[in-house]
Amino acid sequence: MRIAVTVWSRHMVRALCRPLGRFAALLAIAAILGLVIGIVLPRVSEPVRRATGGTMAFGEAADLARGLTVAEPHASASYDRDLFAFRSTDPDGNGCDVREDVLARDLTDVVFDTDGCTVRSGTLADPYTGQEVRFRRGKSTSSAVQIDHVVALRNAWISGADTWELSRRIDFANDPGVLLAVQGQANQEKSDASADHWLPPNEGFRCDYVAMQVSIKHTWGLSVTRTERTAMLETLASCPGQNAAMAGVTGGFAGVGAGVGATGAHAMPMRGRRRVEGARLCTLGAG
């Protein structure tokens, strides 16, 4: 390699001594410098990447992010959380509302009440903070673990959900694919913020979080602001090749479209029905 560089350098010196050769050599040097500045440096230097306006994000999630509709946010004055009727349906028909289903999906060591639906306790490996959170149902303890709409309902409203029929808003709000069990305080801090205003404190989860937001907005036809999309792409630039994802049907994440039914709802674990039936059998067996 060193010999090749030395030979090339000698040719360049000779070329510089000739008018036409000098011009060609300068063009070659400029092209090489352009490649270094435009491609190499932004990949290894965050300040250079920002200064050159590059995101360098690539992969399924980045492609979807670039394809999202960019628009100014709709008016929020008429927003009302009740217009989404969260927890009003049973998307998978297992007899449990979606909050209990998500708790059962995202927690471990789950203990159910005798109805086979209500989660009494469990342990959450919180994706937003990276902390382990113990959940125990009670007036003063249940809020330790909350169910977050990864794309907040108010954000969905100003991104296009204000034009939806009521049935579509209900489908969205109760789709397990847009929901995560998370630490309560982190959920409160996020509130209804978009990616340009809030990202999880757990940096190791930020790429998955943004990929989920992108996937949800893509699936449901919701728009982003220009600064929101820029923030998404900047985050995805730190994880080249990031796949698109939505909340998994059995924990973790599933690719876009996995488990999506006609209404857009994502299927929940079949264990839901089994645990209901099991609870009834136990009740009958107890006499």
Side-chain angles (χ1 to χ4, degrees):
M1 179 66 181
R2 185 179 299 172
I3 294 173
V5 172
T6 301
V7 172
W8 181 82
S9 299
R10 288 175 181 171
H11 282 299
M12 290 297 290
V13 170
R14 290 172 184 169
L16 288 171
C17 295
R18 298 190 297 270
L20 290 177
R22 186 180 307 157
F23 180 71
L26 289 174
L27 283 179
I29 292 172
I32 292 170
L33 287 175
L35 288 173
V36 171
I37 294 172
I39 297 178
V40 178
L41 288 181
R43 287 180 179 270
V44 298
S45 171
E46 177 68 13
V48 172
R49 181 178 67 77
R50 289 178 178 273
T52 57
T55 58
M56 303 308 297
F58 64 90
E60 184 184 20
D63 290 343
L64 289 182
R66 291 189 182 95
L68 294 175
T69 299
V70 176
E72 290 299 311
H74 297 192
S76 62
S78 58
Y79 166 73
D80 186 335
R81 184 179 175 87
D82 290 342
L83 293 174
F84 287 85
F86 179 49
R87 298 184 67 184
S88 65
T89 64
D90 178 13
D92 63 349
N94 69 352
C96 310
D97 79 28
V98 71
R99 171 182 163 78
E100 303 303 335
D101 277 336
V102 173
L103 286 173
R105 181 193 70 191
D106 293 352
L107 272 59
T108 58
D109 303 320
V110 176
V111 175
F112 296 99
D113 208 334
T114 55
D115 61 5
C117 282
T118 305
V119 175
R120 300 300 307 172
S121 64
T123 302
L124 173 69
D126 177 46
Y128 285 0
T129 63
Q131 300 174 357
E132 181 177 280
V133 183
R134 287 291 300 169
F135 172 77
R136 187 169 297 279
R137 188 173 295 274
K139 289 184 178 180
S140 62
T141 57
S142 289
S143 61
V145 174
Q146 299 176 13
I147 306 302
D148 181 41
H149 286 88
V150 178
V151 171
L153 295 182
R154 183 180 181 279
N155 182 265
W157 180 267
I158 64 176
S159 301
D162 61 327
T163 66
W164 292 351
E165 296 289 337
L166 176 60
S167 60
R168 183 166 175 81
R169 286 198 296 268
I170 293 174
D171 286 343
F172 174 82
N174 293 280
D175 179 359
V178 310
L179 300 170
L180 280 180
V182 300
Q183 186 214 55
Q185 182 179 348
N187 187 42
Q188 293 302 307
E189 290 173 355
K190 172 191 170 180
S191 185
D192 54 14
S194 52
D196 51 333
H197 293 291
W198 187 90
L199 289 172
N202 177 15
E203 293 184 3
F205 185 68
R206 288 180 178 178
C207 284
D208 284 327
Y209 175 78
V210 168
M212 289 181 67
Q213 285 204 332
V214 168
S215 302
I216 291 166
K217 290 210 164 188
H218 166 78
T219 299
W220 290 89
L222 296 171
S223 63
V224 290
T225 64
R226 192 166 300 280
T227 56
E228 182 182 1
R229 187 173 66 173
T230 296
M232 288 173 163
L233 289 171
E234 287 182 346
T235 299
L236 293 173
S238 67
C239 43
Q242 173 73 40
N243 288 327
M246 298 183 81
V249 294
T250 56
F253 304 97
V256 175
V260 179
T263 64
H266 285 64
M268 289 297 290
M270 286 300 293
R271 62 181 177 178
R273 289 191 180 87
R274 290 201 295 272
R275 72 168 180 261
V276 172
E277 293 166 359
R280 289 171 180 166
L281 289 172
C282 288
T283 302
L284 291 172

